[in-house]
Amino acid sequence: MQQHIAIVDKTKCRSSDCGKECIKYDPINRSGGEGFHLGDDGKAEIGEEQVTEMHKICAKMCPYDAIKIVKLPAELHKEPVHCYGQNQFRLYNLPIPMFGKVVGILGRNGIGKSTAIQILAGAITPNFGDFSRNDKASYTEIIGHFKGTEAQVFFEKIRDGKITVSYKPQQVDLIPQSARGTVRELLQNIDEEAKLGQLAEQLELTGFLDTDIGKISGGELQRTAIAATVLKKANLYIFDEPSSYLDIKQRIKMAKFIRGLADEHTAVMVVEHDLVVLDYMTDLIHMMYGDEGSYGIVSQPKASRVGMNVYLSGYLKEENIRFRSKGITFTVNSRPKKLKHVRLTEWKDIHAVLGTFRFSSAKGHLDKGVVTGIVGENGIGKTSFVRILAHDLEAFEGDILEKVTVSYKPQYLTATTMTVMEFLKDAVKNHTSTLIGPLDITPLLMKRLDQLSGGELQRVSVVHCLSAEADLYLLDEPSAYLDVEQRLIISKVIKDFALTRDCSIAVVDHDLVFIDYLSDELLVFKGIPAENGEALGPYAMAEGMNLFLRDLQITLRRDMESKRPRINKPGSQKDQEQRRSGKLYYA
């Protein structure tokens, strides 16, 4: 018999304000039993064993959309590894690290990736579905539960002290709340093997080692967190989203660094949404699938290339499970060719001095119906240039031919107590089919902005930017906090929006797959961070990417099966071939 589970979002459940429709319409209650009822916290709940498909009527009748009835795969006949509570998220299976390998975890947000690695790191003790227990499971119990599996061997080694874990959490922006002093002082306190000097060079920390931890940027915080993880004496290093806040060049260097940690005595595990980076640094991939916020299942490991292609296809052949209705494919030059480009605005001889930073651009333009990707290191003038185009920065020399109306989504998002419905009132009224629906905003409408996760706030902010009346839409790092699928959905929304509205859209981002997927042209920023920057272009994609990849010292090819971009192994036959031909971008 197919098993169903009920998930109750307690942030949405408002039993004091509703007619308790879940109780009123519950088929068990109507037949004299007890199905949905109010728990001790005043929120709706139901016994796990009582849930059937018939309870979908309760979910449908809930006025606050707080209940979800989910059908588990027929093959899933076992207790979860961990459950957060009555009618809450549950995790099945665990990924297992391997010595000498970098093992990646790929999956949507809300599917249990962080929960899984926190269990491996010892930050969460698994309860095996018994969320009511007051004590923590012992190693004897944990090892017994996983008897006959690789997880048994892993937890035996943890128990015996043969595996020591060092874990970098996802939210590095919380570090300044718990740490005090300079970056150097923080890292010296945890440097168990006297490696700070070496790591400071490798991770480029030397420029801010003596800066207060509360005054460094997000990218500097991320590199500090990576250093802090590796400075601890361990043989299993776990990194949760190590590319966040890093620019493309820093991501490539970080990926090389993390890949270099794995050897016969050391295992590495990474959760990451940047496909190019994840592919570049991992040997194996665990896919995670399920239902967002309801349950997550960990697949068996596959070689990275194969695993990513299987994930994009949405179908696990061995398990005969389809976890996405439609596969994700990449195509070259998928945009319909325009008869001619209609110029929106252009500029020439732009010069600006901002403190000690100097910016310039000899000439350039933006066209209607075109999505322009903007690439370059952090601190090289991308945001300053955008402010010049938006006439938000007047301290510059040069000419902008046409003044245009700009709608701007900044890199750093501010959450208030306003509801999403209030914030997006124009979008709800005018863009339901083009923005609200595709970006799955409807379930968020009654939430306050300050109640949203990072990914939810990002999607809401993109919708807010695109729903404004403007000639030029500028999106600064719209892929941040989003999972792979959300990034590709937003890419398609942006491309379609530029065509249907006949507007110009410029996108600053550091995810190469994301930029490759949505861009028609590229503006390439070069220079020295915090000292000088120059905007070059816009270029056609091949020319612009060749220029940019030359600076990154990498070559990109397309995967033969999925057509996604992949970094060539340095010195490989393909890498050498593309370098000789001068075609660093898809030979």
Side-chain angles (χ1 to χ4, degrees):
M1 182 178 177
Q2 193 86 49
Q3 181 185 357
H4 290 75
I5 58 174
I7 300 296
V8 178
D9 186 338
K10 296 192 176 186
T11 64
K12 292 182 179 179
C13 181
R14 297 163 60 181
S15 58
S16 59
D17 297 332
C18 73
K20 300 175 180 60
E21 286 83 355
C22 62
I23 298 174
K24 181 178 178 180
Y25 292 98
D26 187 296
I28 297 178
N29 291 336
R30 297 182 72 156
S31 62
E34 184 180 62
F36 269 103
H37 58 278
L38 297 184
D40 294 338
D41 58 359
K43 306 290 185 178
E45 68 177 35
I46 185 173
E48 301 287 320
E49 71 285 349
Q50 296 173 297
V51 183
T52 69
E53 188 170 12
M54 294 177 64
H55 282 99
K56 286 184 178 179
I57 191 172
C58 302
K60 185 176 180 180
M61 298 304 295
C62 176
Y64 299 112
D65 195 29
I67 298 172
K68 181 162 58 172
I69 305 300
V70 180
K71 182 169 66 176
L72 294 176
E75 299 81 3
L76 203 61
H77 298 301
K78 55 184 174 182
E79 294 298 318
V81 171
H82 191 71
C83 180
Y84 278 97
Q86 182 87 9
N87 308 134
Q88 300 296 301
F89 178 86
R90 70 278 319 275
L91 171 70
Y92 296 88
N93 307 342
L94 287 175
I96 299 299
M98 294 181 62
F99 283 87
K101 304 289 185 183
V102 180
V103 178
I105 303 175
L106 178 61
R108 296 168 58 189
N109 286 334
I111 211 77
K113 301 184 301 298
S114 292
T115 298
I117 60 174
Q118 286 181 54
I119 290 174
L120 296 179
I124 293 177
T125 302
N127 58 25
F128 308 115
D130 184 5
F131 49 81
S132 63
R133 65 186 297 168
N134 295 318
D135 62 322
K136 290 186 176 182
S138 65
Y139 276 119
T140 301
E141 183 180 350
I142 294 172
I143 291 166
H145 178 88
F146 291 111
K147 188 174 181 179
T149 69
E150 292 180 355
Q152 175 192 351
V153 178
F154 172 79
F155 284 107
E156 285 175 343
K157 289 182 177 180
I158 288 283
R159 177 198 61 191
D160 298 340
K162 294 179 180 178
I163 292 180
T164 304
V165 184
S166 184
Y167 164 58
K168 186 204 81 68
Q170 178 183 347
Q171 294 178 291
V172 296
D173 51 314
L174 298 181
I175 293 175
Q177 297 181 19
S178 58
R180 296 290 182 270
T182 66
V183 173
R184 186 189 303 276
E185 290 167 343
L186 170 69
L187 296 179
Q188 281 178 335
N189 289 336
I190 55 178
D191 185 5
E192 297 178 350
E193 295 190 284
K195 296 192 298 186
L196 177 54
Q198 175 188 344
L199 288 187
E201 292 291 334
Q202 289 178 281
L203 292 171
E204 299 180 350
L205 312 180
T206 52
F208 57 89
L209 273 177
D210 295 309
T211 304
D212 188 273
I213 195 73
K215 295 181 179 180
I216 61 177
S217 68
E220 291 166 342
L221 269 174
Q222 183 69 267
R223 283 177 281 153
T224 298
I226 292 171
T229 304
V230 178
L231 285 172
K232 295 175 184 176
K233 191 174 183 179
N235 56 358
L236 169 57
Y237 296 104
I238 300 177
F239 301 91
D240 197 347
E241 297 192 29
S243 77
S244 299
Y245 302 107
L246 301 183
D247 62 39
I248 298 178
K249 181 177 283 188
Q250 291 166 344
R251 290 181 185 199
I252 301 301
K253 290 180 178 179
M254 174 274 297
K256 289 180 179 178
F257 173 78
I258 288 180
R259 183 163 183 79
L261 295 174
D263 58 34
E264 60 179 326
H265 304 295
T266 310
V268 180
M269 185 163 276
V270 182
V271 174
E272 182 56 62
H273 294 300
D274 185 323
L275 283 182
V276 165
V277 167
L278 186 64
D279 183 28
Y280 188 52
M281 69 175 148
T282 58
D283 301 291
L284 301 168
I285 292 287
H286 282 281
M287 290 161 282
M288 290 193 65
Y289 60 96
D291 187 87
E292 182 181 353
S294 304
Y295 72 95
I297 302 172
V298 183
S299 78
Q300 292 298 310
K302 295 182 181 295
S304 293
R305 176 190 169 275
V306 174
M308 287 190 182
N309 288 345
V310 168
Y311 182 80
L312 292 172
S313 76
Y315 177 63
L316 286 166
K317 184 178 180 180
E318 292 81 358
E319 292 90 340
N320 192 27
I321 290 175
R322 180 164 292 283
F323 55 89
R324 190 186 308 107
S325 60
K326 188 177 180 182
I328 296 171
T329 57
F330 296 80
T331 55
V332 186
N333 299 324
S334 60
R335 178 72 67 104
K337 290 188 176 180
K338 293 149 56 70
L339 294 177
K340 62 178 181 177
H341 283 204
V342 178
R343 190 66 31 96
L344 173 69
T345 187
E346 58 185 306
W347 60 88
K348 61 180 181 178
D349 299 324
I350 297 294
H351 296 275
V353 179
L354 307 167
T356 59
F357 178 76
R358 295 177 177 273
F359 173 78
S360 66
S361 180
K363 63 178 181 177
H365 62 268
L366 295 173
D367 293 339
K368 294 182 179 180
V370 172
V371 179
T372 303
I374 300 178
V375 294
E377 294 180 69
N378 287 333
I380 209 165
K382 300 187 298 294
T383 299
S384 299
F385 177 65
V386 168
R387 291 179 60 201
I388 290 173
L389 288 182
H391 291 265
D392 184 46
L393 181 62
E394 301 291 347
F396 72 93
E397 297 176 356
D399 296 312
I400 297 179
L401 186 62
E402 294 289 343
K403 183 174 181 178
V404 296
T405 306
V406 175
S407 179
Y408 174 47
K409 185 206 80 68
Q411 176 184 357
Y412 298 106
L413 309 176
T414 302
T416 68
T417 57
M418 181 186 296
T419 66
V420 174
M421 176 72 82
E422 293 171 318
F423 188 58
L424 297 182
K425 59 182 179 181
D426 291 336
V428 171
K429 182 179 178 180
N430 302 313
H431 300 284
T432 301
S433 61
T434 55
L435 297 176
I436 298 294
L439 295 183
D440 196 24
I441 300 298
T442 301
L444 309 177
L445 291 175
M446 301 311 296
K447 287 187 175 183
R448 299 199 319 255
L449 294 174
D450 60 0
Q451 293 175 326
L452 302 179
S453 68
E456 290 170 341
L457 184 60
Q458 187 70 264
R459 281 152 44 210
V460 166
S461 299
V462 169
V463 170
H464 184 260
C465 174
L466 293 179
S467 63
E469 289 294 329
D471 303 308
L472 170 62
Y473 296 86
L474 189 106
L475 303 164
D476 199 344
E477 297 197 32
S479 78
Y481 307 109
L482 301 182
D483 61 41
V484 172
E485 295 180 51
Q486 291 167 341
R487 292 180 186 197
L488 298 178
I489 289 170
I490 279 190
S491 296
K492 188 177 187 307
V493 166
I494 291 171
K495 291 166 71 172
D496 292 346
F497 198 83
L499 280 177
T500 57
R501 289 287 293 269
D502 198 31
C503 60
S504 181
I505 301 180
V507 179
V508 178
D509 211 273
H510 299 297
D511 183 328
L512 278 175
V513 170
F514 186 71
I515 285 292
D516 171 79
Y517 196 74
L518 64 79
S519 302
D520 301 307
E521 299 179 340
L522 279 186
L523 274 171
V524 180
F525 280 64
K526 299 177 73 68
I528 301 174
E531 292 186 20
N532 61 78
E534 180 183 12
L536 304 173
Y539 300 101
M541 282 297 291
E543 185 181 2
M545 286 295 283
N546 268 323
L547 176 65
F548 186 55
L549 295 178
R550 194 171 295 116
D551 188 44
L552 292 180
Q553 299 181 13
I554 60 173
T555 59
L556 281 181
R557 71 185 186 280
R558 283 199 184 275
D559 182 80
M560 295 296 291
E561 182 179 340
S562 65
K563 308 303 181 187
R564 61 184 170 85
R566 302 184 68 200
I567 299 176
N568 290 313
K569 183 179 179 181
S572 67
Q573 183 176 346
K574 193 70 175 176
D575 180 61
Q576 294 182 53
E577 176 187 321
Q578 288 185 229
R579 290 181 189 277
R580 283 195 300 268
S581 68
K583 297 178 180 179
L584 309 185
Y585 175 73
Y586 311 144

